[in-house]
Amino acid sequence: MQVSSRFTIAVHIFTCIAIAEKKYKVTSKFLASSINVNPVIIRNIVLMLKAHGLIDSRQGTSGIKIAKCPSEITLLDIFNAVESLDNGRLFSFHENPAQDCPVGSHIHSVLDGRLAQIQNALEKELKSISLVSIIEDAEAQIARDAEVANNDCSAEA
């Protein structure tokens, strides 16, 4: 199983908006250049985030903005906005195992509870991480890189 890249792209979008909006008008083209994907992919994900009230965007105006305070947005909110789960379930399950097989007739009862437990653990962890912590970590790393670059330049002088 692999979660699609929509989730990590969405987190990248939020982080880029938070950091870049102080200097630039953030557009899907701007975001696409940072994420290195087609702007259509960005627009589709932005529409998903907008439908969940997480992003505000109006064509031709102020660009793409975060609709809520980043401390009020969790990674679970972002995940739920961009990942389409089958009936709310993270794990897909083959629905018709052979009932005349001893394993097939019991596999659901053996796995269903465990898969729900795993999904609950994932959701709990995603809910515990706020977007603001991601943004703060990114800003700190960017600042460290800038400091290293400044030290390298002064050493060359």
Side-chain angles (χ1 to χ4, degrees):
M1 176 208 70
Q2 185 174 13
V3 175
S4 78
S5 62
R6 287 187 305 268
F7 173 67
T8 54
I9 289 172
V11 175
H12 189 143
I13 287 169
F14 278 107
T15 308
C16 197
I17 292 168
I19 292 171
E21 72 180 351
K22 299 166 190 148
K23 293 183 180 181
Y24 307 102
K25 178 180 174 181
V26 179
T27 64
S28 57
K29 185 176 179 182
F30 178 91
L31 293 167
S33 69
S34 174
I35 300 167
N36 201 24
V37 297
N38 189 299
V40 171
I41 293 170
I42 300 301
R43 284 191 288 274
N44 289 336
I45 293 173
V46 165
L47 285 173
M48 291 174 183
L49 296 168
K50 187 175 180 177
H52 282 81
L54 302 175
I55 290 283
D56 184 32
S57 68
R58 293 185 186 95
Q59 199 164 5
T61 59
S62 60
I64 301 168
K65 305 270 186 198
I66 301 173
K68 294 179 169 182
C69 180
S71 63
E72 297 173 5
I73 300 173
T74 68
L75 292 186
L76 181 60
D77 297 325
I78 298 168
F79 182 85
N80 286 335
V82 299
E83 292 299 333
S84 57
L85 300 181
D86 185 28
N87 294 321
R89 293 192 330 242
L90 180 61
F91 295 98
S92 298
F93 206 117
H94 52 289
E95 293 298 325
N96 298 309
Q99 293 303 301
D100 57 347
C101 171
V103 174
S105 63
H106 297 288
I107 195 68
H108 269 286
S109 62
V110 170
L111 276 181
D112 285 346
R114 288 178 173 100
L115 295 177
Q117 185 179 8
I118 293 165
Q119 181 171 340
N120 288 338
L122 173 67
E123 289 175 354
K124 181 180 178 186
E125 190 64 25
L126 288 172
K127 190 175 185 177
S128 75
I129 302 170
S130 70
L131 178 58
V132 75
S133 70
I134 303 294
I135 294 166
E136 288 170 348
D137 287 353
E139 288 174 328
Q141 289 188 23
I142 291 166
R144 277 194 298 274
D145 286 351
E147 186 176 314
V148 168
N150 286 337
N151 289 341
D152 289 347
C153 289
S154 61
E156 292 174 5

